[in-house]
mmCIF file of all heavy atoms in Angstrom:
data_model
loop_
_atom_site.group_PDB
_atom_site.id
_atom_site.type_symbol
_atom_site.label_atom_id
_atom_site.label_comp_id
_atom_site.label_asym_id
_atom_site.label_seq_id
_atom_site.Cartn_x
_atom_site.Cartn_y
_atom_site.Cartn_z
ATOM 1 N N ALA A 220 50.031 -129.618 75.624
ATOM 2 C CA ALA A 220 50.356 -128.509 74.717
ATOM 3 C C ALA A 220 51.244 -127.493 75.426
ATOM 4 O O ALA A 220 51.126 -127.270 76.624
ATOM 5 C CB ALA A 220 49.078 -127.833 74.237
ATOM 6 N N GLY A 221 52.127 -126.902 74.670
ATOM 7 C CA GLY A 221 52.996 -125.857 75.198
ATOM 8 C C GLY A 221 53.283 -124.840 74.115
ATOM 9 O O GLY A 221 53.020 -125.075 72.939
ATOM 10 N N VAL A 222 53.809 -123.700 74.529
ATOM 11 C CA VAL A 222 54.125 -122.624 73.603
ATOM 12 C C VAL A 222 55.569 -122.205 73.843
ATOM 13 O O VAL A 222 55.981 -122.019 74.991
ATOM 14 C CB VAL A 222 53.194 -121.411 73.827
ATOM 15 C CG1 VAL A 222 53.578 -120.261 72.928
ATOM 16 C CG2 VAL A 222 51.743 -121.804 73.624
ATOM 17 N N GLN A 223 56.323 -122.081 72.781
ATOM 18 C CA GLN A 223 57.685 -121.571 72.900
ATOM 19 C C GLN A 223 57.631 -120.050 72.841
ATOM 20 O O GLN A 223 57.048 -119.475 71.927
ATOM 21 C CB GLN A 223 58.571 -122.118 71.787
ATOM 22 C CG GLN A 223 60.025 -121.759 71.973
ATOM 23 C CD GLN A 223 60.925 -122.490 70.995
ATOM 24 O OE1 GLN A 223 60.624 -123.585 70.554
ATOM 25 N NE2 GLN A 223 62.033 -121.873 70.663
ATOM 26 N N LEU A 224 58.219 -119.409 73.837
ATOM 27 C CA LEU A 224 58.216 -117.950 73.930
ATOM 28 C C LEU A 224 59.525 -117.362 73.441
ATOM 29 O O LEU A 224 60.588 -117.954 73.664
ATOM 30 C CB LEU A 224 58.037 -117.514 75.386
ATOM 31 C CG LEU A 224 56.745 -117.883 76.090
ATOM 32 C CD1 LEU A 224 56.816 -117.477 77.555
ATOM 33 C CD2 LEU A 224 55.569 -117.212 75.406
ATOM 34 N N PRO A 225 59.477 -116.177 72.851
ATOM 35 C CA PRO A 225 60.718 -115.459 72.579
ATOM 36 C C PRO A 225 61.354 -115.053 73.914
ATOM 37 O O PRO A 225 60.662 -114.877 74.914
ATOM 38 C CB PRO A 225 60.265 -114.221 71.811
ATOM 39 C CG PRO A 225 58.867 -114.477 71.381
ATOM 40 C CD PRO A 225 58.303 -115.475 72.336
ATOM 41 N N ARG A 226 62.662 -114.897 73.919
ATOM 42 C CA ARG A 226 63.381 -114.534 75.140
ATOM 43 C C ARG A 226 62.820 -113.249 75.755
ATOM 44 O O ARG A 226 62.681 -113.132 76.972
ATOM 45 C CB ARG A 226 64.863 -114.375 74.850
ATOM 46 C CG ARG A 226 65.676 -114.017 76.070
ATOM 47 C CD ARG A 226 67.174 -113.931 75.728
ATOM 48 N NE ARG A 226 67.947 -113.528 76.855
ATOM 49 C CZ ARG A 226 68.399 -114.344 77.809
ATOM 50 N NH1 ARG A 226 68.110 -115.622 77.753
ATOM 51 N NH2 ARG A 226 69.110 -113.891 78.821
ATOM 52 N N GLY A 227 62.461 -112.278 74.927
ATOM 53 C CA GLY A 227 61.917 -111.017 75.425
ATOM 54 C C GLY A 227 60.602 -111.196 76.165
ATOM 55 O O GLY A 227 60.361 -110.549 77.186
ATOM 56 N N HIS A 228 59.744 -112.077 75.672
ATOM 57 C CA HIS A 228 58.469 -112.343 76.345
ATOM 58 C C HIS A 228 58.710 -113.017 77.693
ATOM 59 O O HIS A 228 58.056 -112.693 78.685
ATOM 60 C CB HIS A 228 57.568 -113.207 75.470
ATOM 61 C CG HIS A 228 56.823 -112.453 74.418
ATOM 62 N ND1 HIS A 228 57.345 -111.382 73.730
ATOM 63 C CD2 HIS A 228 55.581 -112.618 73.930
ATOM 64 C CE1 HIS A 228 56.458 -110.929 72.871
ATOM 65 N NE2 HIS A 228 55.367 -111.667 72.976
ATOM 66 N N PHE A 229 59.640 -113.972 77.715
ATOM 67 C CA PHE A 229 59.960 -114.618 78.990
ATOM 68 C C PHE A 229 60.505 -113.584 79.975
ATOM 69 O O PHE A 229 60.153 -113.591 81.152
ATOM 70 C CB PHE A 229 60.971 -115.752 78.800
ATOM 71 C CG PHE A 229 61.307 -116.431 80.092
ATOM 72 C CD1 PHE A 229 60.462 -117.377 80.637
ATOM 73 C CD2 PHE A 229 62.468 -116.100 80.786
ATOM 74 C CE1 PHE A 229 60.757 -117.987 81.853
ATOM 75 C CE2 PHE A 229 62.769 -116.702 81.993
ATOM 76 C CZ PHE A 229 61.909 -117.652 82.525
ATOM 77 N N GLY A 230 61.337 -112.670 79.483
ATOM 78 C CA GLY A 230 61.882 -111.608 80.328
ATOM 79 C C GLY A 230 60.785 -110.722 80.905
ATOM 80 O O GLY A 230 60.849 -110.332 82.072
ATOM 81 N N GLN A 231 59.765 -110.433 80.102
ATOM 82 C CA GLN A 231 58.638 -109.630 80.589
ATOM 83 C C GLN A 231 57.900 -110.358 81.711
ATOM 84 O O GLN A 231 57.516 -109.758 82.717
ATOM 85 C CB GLN A 231 57.674 -109.319 79.455
ATOM 86 C CG GLN A 231 58.195 -108.333 78.444
ATOM 87 C CD GLN A 231 57.228 -108.131 77.287
ATOM 88 O OE1 GLN A 231 56.055 -108.516 77.353
ATOM 89 N NE2 GLN A 231 57.716 -107.537 76.216
ATOM 90 N N LEU A 232 57.698 -111.664 81.531
ATOM 91 C CA LEU A 232 57.024 -112.450 82.568
ATOM 92 C C LEU A 232 57.857 -112.502 83.844
ATOM 93 O O LEU A 232 57.330 -112.359 84.950
ATOM 94 C CB LEU A 232 56.741 -113.865 82.067
ATOM 95 C CG LEU A 232 55.679 -114.006 80.991
ATOM 96 C CD1 LEU A 232 55.598 -115.445 80.508
ATOM 97 C CD2 LEU A 232 54.332 -113.534 81.498
ATOM 98 N N ALA A 233 59.167 -112.722 83.699
ATOM 99 C CA ALA A 233 60.051 -112.789 84.864
ATOM 100 C C ALA A 233 60.056 -111.456 85.608
ATOM 101 O O ALA A 233 60.009 -111.425 86.843
ATOM 102 C CB ALA A 233 61.454 -113.182 84.436
ATOM 103 N N HIS A 234 60.101 -110.357 84.866
ATOM 104 C CA HIS A 234 60.100 -109.030 85.488
ATOM 105 C C HIS A 234 58.788 -108.781 86.226
ATOM 106 O O HIS A 234 58.772 -108.283 87.360
ATOM 107 C CB HIS A 234 60.325 -107.956 84.425
ATOM 108 C CG HIS A 234 60.422 -106.579 84.996
ATOM 109 N ND1 HIS A 234 59.318 -105.873 85.401
ATOM 110 C CD2 HIS A 234 61.488 -105.786 85.232
ATOM 111 C CE1 HIS A 234 59.685 -104.699 85.870
ATOM 112 N NE2 HIS A 234 61.005 -104.617 85.773
ATOM 113 N N ALA A 235 57.661 -109.111 85.596
ATOM 114 C CA ALA A 235 56.347 -108.913 86.222
ATOM 115 C C ALA A 235 56.208 -109.774 87.477
ATOM 116 O O ALA A 235 55.663 -109.322 88.487
ATOM 117 C CB ALA A 235 55.233 -109.217 85.230
ATOM 118 N N ALA A 236 56.715 -111.000 87.421
ATOM 119 C CA ALA A 236 56.632 -111.886 88.590
ATOM 120 C C ALA A 236 57.473 -111.338 89.746
ATOM 121 O O ALA A 236 57.036 -111.335 90.897
ATOM 122 C CB ALA A 236 57.094 -113.290 88.219
ATOM 123 N N ALA A 237 58.671 -110.869 89.442
ATOM 124 C CA ALA A 237 59.552 -110.329 90.473
ATOM 125 C C ALA A 237 58.980 -109.056 91.092
ATOM 126 O O ALA A 237 59.130 -108.808 92.287
ATOM 127 C CB ALA A 237 60.939 -110.064 89.900
ATOM 128 N N ALA A 238 58.304 -108.249 90.278
ATOM 129 C CA ALA A 238 57.740 -106.982 90.750
ATOM 130 C C ALA A 238 56.373 -107.167 91.415
ATOM 131 O O ALA A 238 55.853 -106.240 92.030
ATOM 132 C CB ALA A 238 57.621 -106.003 89.586
ATOM 133 N N GLY A 239 55.791 -108.360 91.258
ATOM 134 C CA GLY A 239 54.459 -108.588 91.803
ATOM 135 C C GLY A 239 53.368 -107.840 91.061
ATOM 136 O O GLY A 239 52.323 -107.527 91.614
ATOM 137 N N SER A 240 53.622 -107.559 89.787
ATOM 138 C CA SER A 240 52.654 -106.793 88.998
ATOM 139 C C SER A 240 51.786 -107.707 88.144
ATOM 140 O O SER A 240 51.894 -108.919 88.203
ATOM 141 C CB SER A 240 53.391 -105.773 88.126
ATOM 142 O OG SER A 240 54.261 -106.424 87.244
ATOM 143 N N SER A 241 50.948 -107.102 87.334
ATOM 144 C CA SER A 241 50.076 -107.875 86.456
ATOM 145 C C SER A 241 50.868 -108.405 85.263
ATOM 146 O O SER A 241 51.945 -107.917 84.947
ATOM 147 C CB SER A 241 48.893 -107.023 85.982
ATOM 148 O OG SER A 241 49.351 -105.905 85.279
ATOM 149 N N TYR A 242 50.320 -109.386 84.607
ATOM 150 C CA TYR A 242 50.997 -110.000 83.464
ATOM 151 C C TYR A 242 50.903 -109.091 82.249
ATOM 152 O O TYR A 242 50.020 -108.236 82.158
ATOM 153 C CB TYR A 242 50.425 -111.379 83.170
ATOM 154 C CG TYR A 242 48.927 -111.437 83.138
ATOM 155 C CD1 TYR A 242 48.213 -111.038 82.022
ATOM 156 C CD2 TYR A 242 48.217 -111.863 84.249
ATOM 157 C CE1 TYR A 242 46.850 -111.071 82.001
ATOM 158 C CE2 TYR A 242 46.827 -111.903 84.234
ATOM 159 C CZ TYR A 242 46.164 -111.512 83.106
ATOM 160 O OH TYR A 242 44.799 -111.540 83.084
ATOM 161 N N PRO A 243 51.814 -109.283 81.285
ATOM 162 C CA PRO A 243 51.789 -108.474 80.058
ATOM 163 C C PRO A 243 50.492 -108.721 79.275
ATOM 164 O O PRO A 243 49.937 -109.815 79.312
ATOM 165 C CB PRO A 243 52.999 -108.986 79.267
ATOM 166 C CG PRO A 243 53.852 -109.701 80.248
ATOM 167 C CD PRO A 243 52.952 -110.207 81.325
ATOM 168 N N PRO A 244 50.015 -107.721 78.548
ATOM 169 C CA PRO A 244 48.741 -107.838 77.814
ATOM 170 C C PRO A 244 48.700 -108.990 76.810
ATOM 171 O O PRO A 244 47.652 -109.585 76.600
ATOM 172 C CB PRO A 244 48.622 -106.489 77.089
ATOM 173 C CG PRO A 244 49.508 -105.559 77.829
ATOM 174 C CD PRO A 244 50.600 -106.390 78.435
ATOM 175 N N TRP A 245 49.818 -109.341 76.196
ATOM 176 C CA TRP A 245 49.830 -110.403 75.188
ATOM 177 C C TRP A 245 49.539 -111.777 75.789
ATOM 178 O O TRP A 245 49.104 -112.688 75.092
ATOM 179 C CB TRP A 245 51.167 -110.442 74.440
ATOM 180 C CG TRP A 245 52.373 -110.545 75.318
ATOM 181 C CD1 TRP A 245 53.179 -109.520 75.726
ATOM 182 C CD2 TRP A 245 52.923 -111.734 75.895
ATOM 183 N NE1 TRP A 245 54.191 -109.990 76.531
ATOM 184 C CE2 TRP A 245 54.056 -111.349 76.647
ATOM 185 C CE3 TRP A 245 52.574 -113.076 75.866
ATOM 186 C CZ2 TRP A 245 54.832 -112.268 77.361
ATOM 187 C CZ3 TRP A 245 53.344 -113.982 76.566
ATOM 188 C CH2 TRP A 245 54.456 -113.588 77.300
ATOM 189 N N LEU A 246 49.744 -111.944 77.093
ATOM 190 C CA LEU A 246 49.591 -113.259 77.717
ATOM 191 C C LEU A 246 48.137 -113.726 77.720
ATOM 192 O O LEU A 246 47.865 -114.912 77.513
ATOM 193 C CB LEU A 246 50.147 -113.250 79.139
ATOM 194 C CG LEU A 246 50.128 -114.597 79.855
ATOM 195 C CD1 LEU A 246 50.965 -115.629 79.098
ATOM 196 C CD2 LEU A 246 50.647 -114.450 81.271
ATOM 197 N N ALA A 247 47.191 -112.819 77.931
ATOM 198 C CA ALA A 247 45.774 -113.208 77.983
ATOM 199 C C ALA A 247 45.328 -113.825 76.658
ATOM 200 O O ALA A 247 44.667 -114.862 76.635
ATOM 201 C CB ALA A 247 44.911 -112.012 78.346
ATOM 202 N N GLY A 248 45.697 -113.209 75.555
ATOM 203 C CA GLY A 248 45.326 -113.747 74.244
ATOM 204 C C GLY A 248 45.979 -115.082 73.951
ATOM 205 O O GLY A 248 45.361 -115.988 73.392
ATOM 206 N N LEU A 249 47.231 -115.211 74.339
ATOM 207 C CA LEU A 249 47.959 -116.462 74.123
ATOM 208 C C LEU A 249 47.351 -117.601 74.941
ATOM 209 O O LEU A 249 47.172 -118.707 74.435
ATOM 210 C CB LEU A 249 49.430 -116.269 74.480
ATOM 211 C CG LEU A 249 50.366 -117.428 74.205
ATOM 212 C CD1 LEU A 249 50.366 -117.799 72.721
ATOM 213 C CD2 LEU A 249 51.769 -117.066 74.652
ATOM 214 N N ALA A 250 46.996 -117.326 76.195
ATOM 215 C CA ALA A 250 46.379 -118.347 77.051
ATOM 216 C C ALA A 250 45.012 -118.761 76.517
ATOM 217 O O ALA A 250 44.660 -119.937 76.534
ATOM 218 C CB ALA A 250 46.263 -117.832 78.478
ATOM 219 N N ARG A 251 44.263 -117.798 76.040
ATOM 220 C CA ARG A 251 42.934 -118.087 75.481
ATOM 221 C C ARG A 251 43.058 -118.942 74.221
ATOM 222 O O ARG A 251 42.347 -119.923 74.043
ATOM 223 C CB ARG A 251 42.205 -116.779 75.163
ATOM 224 C CG ARG A 251 40.769 -116.957 74.734
ATOM 225 C CD ARG A 251 40.061 -115.629 74.443
ATOM 226 N NE ARG A 251 40.266 -114.621 75.473
ATOM 227 C CZ ARG A 251 41.051 -113.540 75.321
ATOM 228 N NH1 ARG A 251 41.678 -113.309 74.177
ATOM 229 N NH2 ARG A 251 41.186 -112.666 76.300
ATOM 230 N N GLN A 252 43.976 -118.569 73.345
ATOM 231 C CA GLN A 252 44.149 -119.280 72.076
ATOM 232 C C GLN A 252 44.715 -120.683 72.286
ATOM 233 O O GLN A 252 44.291 -121.627 71.626
ATOM 234 C CB GLN A 252 45.081 -118.482 71.174
ATOM 235 C CG GLN A 252 45.361 -119.128 69.841
ATOM 236 C CD GLN A 252 46.347 -118.327 69.008
ATOM 237 O OE1 GLN A 252 46.837 -117.285 69.420
ATOM 238 N NE2 GLN A 252 46.650 -118.817 67.835
ATOM 239 N N SER A 253 45.645 -120.838 73.197
ATOM 240 C CA SER A 253 46.333 -122.112 73.369
ATOM 241 C C SER A 253 45.587 -123.110 74.240
ATOM 242 O O SER A 253 45.631 -124.311 73.982
ATOM 243 C CB SER A 253 47.717 -121.870 73.971
ATOM 244 O OG SER A 253 48.469 -121.025 73.133
ATOM 245 N N TRP A 254 44.940 -122.635 75.301
ATOM 246 C CA TRP A 254 44.305 -123.547 76.266
ATOM 247 C C TRP A 254 42.882 -123.177 76.641
ATOM 248 O O TRP A 254 42.305 -123.781 77.539
ATOM 249 C CB TRP A 254 45.139 -123.609 77.552
ATOM 250 C CG TRP A 254 46.515 -124.090 77.330
ATOM 251 C CD1 TRP A 254 46.910 -125.381 77.109
ATOM 252 C CD2 TRP A 254 47.706 -123.297 77.297
ATOM 253 N NE1 TRP A 254 48.261 -125.429 76.940
ATOM 254 C CE2 TRP A 254 48.785 -124.164 77.059
ATOM 255 C CE3 TRP A 254 47.965 -121.943 77.441
ATOM 256 C CZ2 TRP A 254 50.091 -123.724 76.959
ATOM 257 C CZ3 TRP A 254 49.268 -121.503 77.350
ATOM 258 C CH2 TRP A 254 50.312 -122.391 77.115
ATOM 259 N N GLU A 255 42.309 -122.142 76.022
ATOM 260 C CA GLU A 255 40.979 -121.658 76.369
ATOM 261 C C GLU A 255 40.913 -121.242 77.839
ATOM 262 O O GLU A 255 39.914 -121.451 78.526
ATOM 263 C CB GLU A 255 39.902 -122.688 76.033
ATOM 264 C CG GLU A 255 39.833 -122.985 74.544
ATOM 265 C CD GLU A 255 38.778 -124.006 74.186
ATOM 266 O OE1 GLU A 255 38.049 -124.483 75.079
ATOM 267 O OE2 GLU A 255 38.681 -124.327 72.991
ATOM 268 N N VAL A 256 41.999 -120.647 78.319
ATOM 269 C CA VAL A 256 42.092 -120.148 79.685
ATOM 270 C C VAL A 256 41.869 -118.643 79.665
ATOM 271 O O VAL A 256 42.509 -117.936 78.896
ATOM 272 C CB VAL A 256 43.485 -120.457 80.297
ATOM 273 C CG1 VAL A 256 43.684 -119.735 81.613
ATOM 274 C CG2 VAL A 256 43.662 -121.950 80.461
ATOM 275 N N GLU A 257 40.952 -118.167 80.484
ATOM 276 C CA GLU A 257 40.672 -116.738 80.571
ATOM 277 C C GLU A 257 41.441 -116.148 81.750
ATOM 278 O O GLU A 257 41.241 -116.554 82.891
ATOM 279 C CB GLU A 257 39.174 -116.486 80.758
ATOM 280 C CG GLU A 257 38.342 -116.828 79.537
ATOM 281 C CD GLU A 257 38.663 -115.970 78.321
ATOM 282 O OE1 GLU A 257 39.033 -114.786 78.483
ATOM 283 O OE2 GLU A 257 38.542 -116.482 77.196
ATOM 284 N N LEU A 258 42.331 -115.224 81.466
ATOM 285 C CA LEU A 258 43.056 -114.502 82.499
ATOM 286 C C LEU A 258 42.416 -113.123 82.615
ATOM 287 O O LEU A 258 42.359 -112.380 81.638
ATOM 288 C CB LEU A 258 44.538 -114.366 82.130
ATOM 289 C CG LEU A 258 45.319 -115.671 82.026
ATOM 290 C CD1 LEU A 258 46.737 -115.395 81.541
ATOM 291 C CD2 LEU A 258 45.344 -116.398 83.354
#
């Protein structure tokens, strides 16, 4: 299974990864819904 992200969401992830910060709030819900992964 995979999820297609809008360009803006991918940009948020790339920025957070480069800055070494936490992931955007929307990611936890998406991971839970798509793969039952708790972040």
Side-chain angles (χ1 to χ4, degrees):
V222 176
Q223 187 171 331
L224 297 175
R226 181 177 177 84
H228 279 37
F229 180 80
Q231 289 176 14
L232 290 175
H234 184 283
S240 61
S241 60
Y242 47 81
W245 54 262
L246 184 60
L249 185 59
R251 187 179 313 107
Q252 179 183 0
S253 301
W254 300 284
E255 297 180 2
V256 170
E257 291 296 328
L258 296 175

